[in-house]
Amino acid sequence: MASNADFVQYIADQCSGAGDIVAKKMFGDYGIYCNGKIFGLICDDHFYLKPTDEVRPLLHQIDMRPPYEGAKPYFYIADVDDHDYLSALVRETCRHLPEPKPKKKK
């Protein structure tokens, strides 16, 4: 089951305090980016955040789940209605993720 476009936009809006948020369709669901870094996934109307040790203490609840069959576990974020909380999680996650690799010219 794919994610609802309204839910995807809601998550993007809720995370917007962290920077420039863009959701891109991937394999029927969505990858979500902040300032060019992919920091999470939206699958089946659920929000998943890439796990980092630095974000773990900020979580209201630690719930690790794979976003889709065969995936590594991500932080499952159930509390998506708190704009400041989500923005803080995304900001801190992106601080600790590597810079995206430059795209090769064709």
Side-chain angles (χ1 to χ4, degrees), residues 35-61:
N35 301 329
K37 285 185 184 181
I38 187 166
F39 66 87
L41 300 171
I42 301 170
C43 299
D44 297 328
D45 290 335
H46 293 90
F47 177 47
Y48 299 90
L49 188 67
K50 281 190 172 186
T52 62
D53 290 337
E54 295 82 5
V55 170
R56 187 177 291 272
L58 302 177
L59 295 170
H60 292 165
Q61 177 181 352

Side-chain angles (χ1 to χ4, degrees), residues 34-91:
C34 180
N35 301 329
K37 285 185 184 181
I38 187 166
F39 66 87
L41 300 171
I42 301 170
C43 299
D44 297 328
D45 290 335
H46 293 90
F47 177 47
Y48 299 90
L49 188 67
K50 281 190 172 186
T52 62
D53 290 337
E54 295 82 5
V55 170
R56 187 177 291 272
L58 302 177
L59 295 170
H60 292 165
Q61 177 181 352
I62 298 173
D63 185 355
M64 300 287 292
R65 300 182 188 183
Y68 53 89
E69 190 174 325
K72 293 180 181 178
Y74 276 52
F75 292 133
Y76 170 68
I77 309 298
D79 181 8
V80 296
D81 296 323
D82 185 339
H83 172 79
D84 294 334
Y85 173 62
L86 285 188
S87 292
L89 292 178
V90 171
R91 194 176 309 108

Side-chain angles (χ1 to χ4, degrees), residues 86-106:
L86 285 188
S87 292
L89 292 178
V90 171
R91 194 176 309 108
E92 190 65 17
T93 297
C94 289
R95 279 189 45 208
H96 299 285
L97 292 176
E99 290 298 321
K101 295 178 183 175
K103 293 186 179 182
K104 294 180 183 178
K105 293 183 180 180
K106 294 182 180 181

